[in-house]
Amino acid sequence: MKRTPCAPDSQRSSTPPETAGTSTRRGFLKQGAVAAALGFLASCDAATREAFFQKHFRELKGPERKKVLERLEREYSREYGKPVTVADTPAAEGVLFGYALDLSRCIGCRRCVYACVKENNQSRDPQVHWITVLELEKEKGIDLAEADAYYDAKQVPREGHFYLPVACQQCRRPQCVSVCPVGATWQEPDGIVVVDQNWCIGCRCCVAACPYGARRFNWAAPSIPKGEMNPDTHYLGNRPRMKGVVEKCTFCIQRVRKGRYPACVEVCPVGARKFGNLLDPSSEVRYIIENKRIFLLKEDLNTQPKFFYFYGV
Ligand code: SF4
Ligand code: SF4
């Protein structure tokens, strides 16, 4: 079936088949850019050529995948002057991650924003933030048109205001996935929506499709100070990104798949952030969903976020 870039494909599930990425990306490239790409590749070194011809992450298996991870580890270690690991820890069976945020506790301090930047190797210059904290007036309630993302965080919480942190909502029906023309973004079995940056062609269809403004495009080469670079990375998460690709929150995939909390949960000084397995009836997130007044952002769009807001009181 022929696909038009940015057009949602109603016949594609949010988890495309293993081979979808390869055929569609090659087909997409065939549509116009092959000559330019060949010219560019002729002038590249062996490592760049190897990266260009790399398979889709889900097609890479066994020794082939190991070779790719080792190449990336070598490249990052050389660039940042320390040993960097790139894991491919898979989703565990019986796990569907979910997040809950207590609006009655959040004070808008933005510590989560900066902990996320550090943990996930986001660019410092230009600044890239995966979390945006919005300041809203209590009197007006959740009126996103009136929200202020640029409030002065030294004076929080401000009288008469409350705070709404927003990042990727890890939708069960992710619009971003269905518009990607090359299958570079998909939903993992544990519910985390990921991007293979080596497969992303930077068309930004997903950026336009996300109703939460959760995706970031690297207009410039990201810059991370060598001393602050987090060397504990995952292929689908916080490994350093490149110019011209899209990135976003992955619930700290490199942490949560090893049984740790996301960095934002750990750093929050008022315990507003909760995280766990939605399939586990004894988890804290399940308790919150079953016992608190919860709501979803833009619920009417039927994106079915796995990010729940609630009032803890
Ligand atoms: S919030 Fe946006 S980026 Fe995240 S899964 Fe939903 S549509 Fe995709
Ligand atoms: S920018 Fe990348 S991930 Fe987003 S739709 Fe285009 S190819 Fe897919």
Side-chain angles (χ1 to χ4, degrees):
M1 188 174 72
K2 199 171 172 187
R3 287 198 178 94
T4 309
C6 292
D9 181 348
S10 55
Q11 291 179 26
R12 183 196 288 174
S13 74
S14 61
T15 313
E18 297 280 300
T19 53
T22 313
S23 53
T24 54
R25 184 178 190 238
R26 287 184 189 146
F28 189 82
L29 287 172
K30 262 188 217 155
Q31 285 169 22
V34 170
L38 289 177
F40 164 73
L41 286 169
S43 64
C44 290
D45 58 25
T48 310
R49 274 197 295 275
E50 217 177 306
F52 185 84
F53 287 112
Q54 187 183 306
K55 282 185 184 165
H56 190 286
F57 179 74
R58 290 193 292 176
E59 288 184 330
L60 282 170
K61 308 274 183 218
E64 210 179 355
R65 181 182 285 193
K66 193 165 172 264
K67 205 172 144 203
V68 166
L69 297 180
E70 284 172 355
R71 171 173 54 78
L72 290 170
E73 287 176 344
R74 272 196 310 278
E75 283 173 15
Y76 297 143
S77 300
R78 195 169 47 238
E79 187 174 350
Y80 292 98
K82 56 183 158 191
V84 176
T85 55
V86 182
D88 62 344
T89 319
E93 259 184 55
V95 173
L96 184 69
F97 288 121
Y99 208 113
L101 199 144
D102 187 346
L103 292 182
S104 68
R105 286 195 188 198
C106 179
I107 54 169
C109 65
R110 292 204 187 100
R111 283 188 178 87
C112 52
V113 175
Y114 296 106
C116 175
V117 166
K118 227 171 147 186
E119 170 66 30
N120 290 293
N121 291 322
Q122 283 149 47
S123 176
R124 310 322 200 251
D125 182 20
Q127 278 192 18
V128 172
H129 294 169
W130 290 352
I131 304 174
T132 306
V133 185
L134 303 174
E135 187 181 65
L136 294 134
E137 287 179 40
K138 280 185 180 164
E139 249 184 36
K140 293 185 178 161
I142 299 190
D143 180 354
L144 295 179
E146 295 283 325
D148 180 5
Y150 303 101
Y151 65 90
D152 183 355
K154 287 186 206 88
Q155 299 174 14
V156 291
R158 274 209 302 153
E159 185 70 26
H161 292 77
F162 71 101
Y163 298 88
L164 180 81
V166 181
C168 174
Q169 307 286 296
Q170 310 292 351
C171 312
R172 279 178 211 244
R173 299 185 69 241
Q175 313 274 305
C176 54
V177 168
S178 56
V179 297
C180 179
V182 295
T185 184
W186 67 94
Q187 187 171 182
E188 286 277 282
D190 54 8
I192 303 177
V193 176
V194 293
V195 181
D196 180 351
Q197 62 163 296
N198 282 68
W199 208 255
C200 173
I201 56 170
C203 64
R204 286 170 279 138
C205 291
C206 57
V207 176
C210 171
Y212 303 100
R215 288 183 167 240
R216 306 286 180 260
F217 179 70
N218 282 304
W219 291 98
S223 107
I224 310 163
K226 286 186 181 179
E228 292 178 23
M229 189 263 170
N230 176 7
D232 183 9
T233 78
H234 191 288
Y235 182 96
L236 297 172
N238 62 337
R239 69 185 170 109
R241 275 75 64 189
M242 53 186 110
K243 181 181 173 181
V245 301
V246 161
E247 60 181 70
K248 63 165 204 67
C249 162
T250 63
F251 279 167
C252 286
I253 193 168
Q254 68 282 359
R255 286 173 153 247
V256 299
R257 285 196 176 166
K258 290 183 185 161
R260 298 176 68 194
Y261 281 117
C264 49
V265 171
E266 273 185 12
V267 80
C268 179
V270 292
R273 290 174 169 269
K274 314 289 181 191
F275 182 81
N277 181 4
L278 294 168
L279 302 182
D280 175 0
S282 63
S283 69
E284 195 176 13
V285 279
R286 271 288 287 275
Y287 177 85
I288 290 164
I289 290 165
E290 284 162 13
N291 295 283
K292 301 287 182 185
R293 194 156 63 91
I294 58 154
F295 71 92
L296 302 170
L297 272 189
K298 303 189 181 181
E299 188 174 10
D300 49 320
L301 298 179
N302 197 24
T303 48
Q304 300 175 19
K306 295 189 294 298
F307 201 111
F308 304 88
Y309 294 93
F310 71 107
Y311 293 97
V313 287

